């Protein structure tokens, strides 16, 4: 195979790279779009594939657009900003189908992909600081990519980050973690590294005068906001008020909550629809986080009883408070490991919803799901590969796949959510 070649790109993947076969070998062309004709050069040779860089785009794809971000290709976040959003949605739908196929499940159609607005959708962001500059961590490294205005975040996030970078120029914190509710309230968490000597009380007073949308200023020691350590309140409230599918929720910075409010509502509504509870049924919501799926089901189907299970105490506290706030007496929450809870569950649940971490389900969890054997199992996943692996195991036991729906909760990035309905065979 010549190192330099010219070819038309027939397909692309979720990483934003084109895929073509040259002399029978799969070549990933970085940044190429399906429909492009490119001249490219092989730069790396792996055992089963090769990687190439574009020398020139000789004929651009009709799906290709000019990226509108100055750090596109550097920060590693928006890897699909060089194609139209309509095409991105189709690429993600096809990507889920391809993952299921690679997982040995055959041709399983993804019937739809739920979408929302592709810009300014993120309600959460973590900015890193270094010497008066701020930005995002480059993917797979600790290097900071300096940014101006991130187009998938609310513009107020960048304004707050600029203010913090200037205020702490001589003694910067490790990170700034912001969460904004759909009602406009903002939680601001300052991560402090060893030796940080800033006066956070004075900072909180000045910051909230500048940005009255900030409902609470908190702090946390360490370099990573999701290290399990609790936040400490400096000023204001330790939660923000959120509105979701008609419910009023309180969400703390320590608790997991989907970053895309509009698309998350569509996904939870779809999960409730797939669970299709009717009559006096009982369901379990495993890995429930702040309980958003279970709360949605309990709210939409008042005759159903649900138990949510989550290992994070702060998330469970939020979930219980939100159930009480919305007068949902048909849902309760258990704080503990989901696999351990399932192991102690006797009798048959009518349905189970499960939204595990990116790595998917443990062998123990798969075993317990098959043992409990609910009539309907709704699996919500943020990783198509681990989803395919777990679906393969479940279909080899007691289940058959009834419906697969994708949801684009992270437009312009490589990530895609999937909701699958499995029926007991």
């Amino acid at each position: 195979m010549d190192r330099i070649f010219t070819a038309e790109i027939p397909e692309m993947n979720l990483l934003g790279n084109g895929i073509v076969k040259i002399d029978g070998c799969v070549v990933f062309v970085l940044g190429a779009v399906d429909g492009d004709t490119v001249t490219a050069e092989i730069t790396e040779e792996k055992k089963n594939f090769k990687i190439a860089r574009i020398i020139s785009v000789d004929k651009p794809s009709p799906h290709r657009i000019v990226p509108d971000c100055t750090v596109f290709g550097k920060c590693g976040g928006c890897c699909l900003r060089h194609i139209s959003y309509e095409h991105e949605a189709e690429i993600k739908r096809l990507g889920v189908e391809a993952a299921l196929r690679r997982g040995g499940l055959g041709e399983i159609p993804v019937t739809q992909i739920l979408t929302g607005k592709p810009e300014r959708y993120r309600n959460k962001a973590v900015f890193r600081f270094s010497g008066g500059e701020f930005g995002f961590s480059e993917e797979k490294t600790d290097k900071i990519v300096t940014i101006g205005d991130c187009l998938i975040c609310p513009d107020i996030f960048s304004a707050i980050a600029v203010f913090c970078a200037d205020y702490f120029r001589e003694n910067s914190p490790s990170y700034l973690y912001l969460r904004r509710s759909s009602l406009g309230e903002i939680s601001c968490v300052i991560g402090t590294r060893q030796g940080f000597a800033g006066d956070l009380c004075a900072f909180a007073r000045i910051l909230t005068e500048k940005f009255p949308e900030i409902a609470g200023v908190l702090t946390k020691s360490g370099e990573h906001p999701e290290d399990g350590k609790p936040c400490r309140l400096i000023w204001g409230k330790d939660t923000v008020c959120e509105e979701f599918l008609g419910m009023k929720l309180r969400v703390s910075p320590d608790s997991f909550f989907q970053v895309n409010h509009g698309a998350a509502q569509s996904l939870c509504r779809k999960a409730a629809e797939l669970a299709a509870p009717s009559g006096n049924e009982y369901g379990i919501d495993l890995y429930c986080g702040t309980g958003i799926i279970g709360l949605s089901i309990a709210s939409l189907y008042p005759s159903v009883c649900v138990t949510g299970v989550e290992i994070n105490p702060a998330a469970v506290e939020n979930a219980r408070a939100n159930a009480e706030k919305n007068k949902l007496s048909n849902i309760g929450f258990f704080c503990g490991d989901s696999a351990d809870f399932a192991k102690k569950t006797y009798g048959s649940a009518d349905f189970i919803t499960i939204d595990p971490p990116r790595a998917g389900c443990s062998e123990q969890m798969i075993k317990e799901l098959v043992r409990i054997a609910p009539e309907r199992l709704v699996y919500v996943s943020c990783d198509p590969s681990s989803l395919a692996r777990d679906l393969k195991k479940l279909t080899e036991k007691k289940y058959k796949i009834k419906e697969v729906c994708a949801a684009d909760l992270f437009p312009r990035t490589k990530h895609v959510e999937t909701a699958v309905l499995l029926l007991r065979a």
Side-chain angles (χ1 to χ4, degrees):
M1 179 192 300
D2 293 335
R3 295 192 67 80
I4 295 178
F5 64 90
T6 298
E8 183 176 348
I9 307 298
E11 59 180 312
M12 68 181 295
N13 61 17
L14 294 176
L15 297 174
N17 301 321
I19 306 172
V20 64
K21 277 192 175 182
I22 304 293
D23 296 338
C25 179
V26 173
V27 180
F28 294 96
V29 184
L30 304 182
V33 177
D34 52 322
D36 278 345
T37 298
V38 302
T39 298
E41 178 185 15
I42 303 293
T43 57
E44 293 184 58
E45 298 190 19
K46 306 293 185 179
K47 182 178 180 181
N48 298 316
F49 62 91
K50 301 181 190 298
I51 298 175
R53 68 173 184 87
I54 294 176
I55 296 175
S56 64
V57 177
D58 305 321
K59 181 182 177 183
S61 165
H63 307 302
R64 178 180 282 277
I65 63 173
V66 177
D68 52 0
C69 177
T70 58
V71 294
F72 173 70
K74 295 179 182 179
C75 84
C78 297
C79 60
L80 296 173
R81 196 165 279 281
H82 60 318
I83 61 175
S84 68
Y85 183 58
E86 293 75 19
H87 191 54
E88 175 187 334
E90 180 63 7
I91 290 296
K92 289 184 173 179
R93 189 187 69 80
L94 294 173
V96 174
E97 288 187 349
L100 300 182
R101 195 162 53 244
R102 287 193 302 270
L105 292 161
E107 298 295 332
I108 305 292
V110 176
T111 55
Q112 68 177 137
I113 179 163
L114 305 172
T115 59
K117 62 179 185 177
E119 310 294 351
R120 306 293 185 188
Y121 64 85
R122 282 195 69 97
N123 58 31
K124 169 185 170 182
V126 178
F127 296 92
R128 304 285 176 178
F129 291 88
S130 178
E133 299 293 334
F134 71 92
F136 295 134
S137 293
E138 187 177 68
E139 192 171 22
K140 298 181 181 178
T141 77
D142 290 328
K143 180 181 177 182
I144 294 178
V145 178
T146 303
I147 64 166
D149 179 24
C150 178
L151 299 176
I152 62 174
C153 292
D155 50 11
I156 193 173
F157 278 15
S158 294
I160 294 173
V162 168
F163 179 86
C164 291
D166 185 61
Y167 186 90
F168 292 113
R169 184 168 296 278
E170 301 301 324
N171 184 23
S172 66
S174 54
Y175 65 82
L176 168 69
Y177 164 32
L178 300 172
R179 169 173 279 170
R180 184 191 189 197
S181 78
S182 61
L183 300 177
E185 289 187 338
I186 297 174
S187 280
C188 173
V189 181
I190 300 293
T192 57
R193 55 172 60 92
Q194 189 173 7
F196 178 79
D199 185 343
L200 291 180
C201 291
F203 166 72
R205 183 176 66 255
I206 297 171
L207 179 70
T208 52
E209 288 175 357
K210 175 74 173 178
F211 301 99
E213 300 91 340
I214 295 176
V217 180
L218 304 94
T219 187
K220 190 183 213 182
S221 62
E223 298 289 334
H224 302 285
E226 296 177 351
D227 57 6
K229 298 177 183 178
C231 291
R232 180 170 62 89
L233 183 64
I234 298 295
W235 178 92
K237 302 185 297 183
D238 58 0
T239 61
V240 292
C241 185
E242 184 64 87
E243 194 171 77
F244 195 91
L245 291 179
M247 297 179 287
K248 298 288 187 180
L249 308 177
R250 303 298 304 182
V251 182
S252 72
D254 291 322
S255 301
F256 172 78
F257 195 80
Q258 291 286 7
V259 302
N260 188 327
H261 180 266
Q265 287 189 109
S266 298
L267 177 62
C268 287
R269 190 181 289 109
K270 183 65 178 181
E273 175 190 315
L274 292 177
S278 60
N280 298 315
E281 295 184 313
Y282 171 62
I284 305 172
D285 181 23
L286 299 174
Y287 302 100
C288 73
T290 53
I292 198 64
I293 294 178
L295 288 167
S296 298
I297 294 173
S299 176
L300 293 170
Y301 300 93
S303 61
V304 171
C305 289
V306 184
T307 299
V309 185
E310 169 59 40
I311 199 169
N312 183 336
V316 172
E317 185 179 340
N318 272 184
R320 287 172 175 160
N322 287 328
E324 183 177 354
K325 183 179 181 67
N326 290 279
K327 297 181 172 56
L328 297 175
S329 59
N330 58 333
I331 185 169
F333 293 93
F334 174 82
C335 185
D337 182 80
S338 287
D340 288 344
F341 178 87
K343 189 175 182 179
K344 298 171 184 175
T345 298
Y346 297 95
S348 179
D350 297 294
F351 66 89
I352 289 179
T353 58
I354 181 167
D355 186 1
R358 184 170 298 279
C361 294
S362 64
E363 290 290 343
Q364 183 64 38
M365 176 57 77
I366 295 292
K367 178 181 176 181
E368 299 305 335
L369 290 173
V370 171
R371 182 187 62 80
I372 299 170
E375 179 184 343
R376 296 179 302 281
L377 176 60
V378 177
Y379 193 137
V380 177
S381 170
C382 61
D383 185 83
S385 297
S386 61
L387 170 66
R389 180 201 65 209
D390 292 347
L391 292 181
K392 178 68 173 174
K393 295 174 183 177
L394 290 166
T395 55
E396 289 173 345
K397 302 293 183 180
K398 293 184 177 180
Y399 286 91
K400 60 181 180 180
I401 296 172
K402 176 65 175 178
E403 184 177 348
V404 182
C405 172
D408 190 14
L409 269 65
F410 307 91
R412 297 332 211 166
T413 78
K414 64 185 178 182
H415 302 294
V416 60
E417 298 267 335
T418 312
V420 181
L421 171 63
L422 298 104
L423 300 180
R424 190 175 63 211

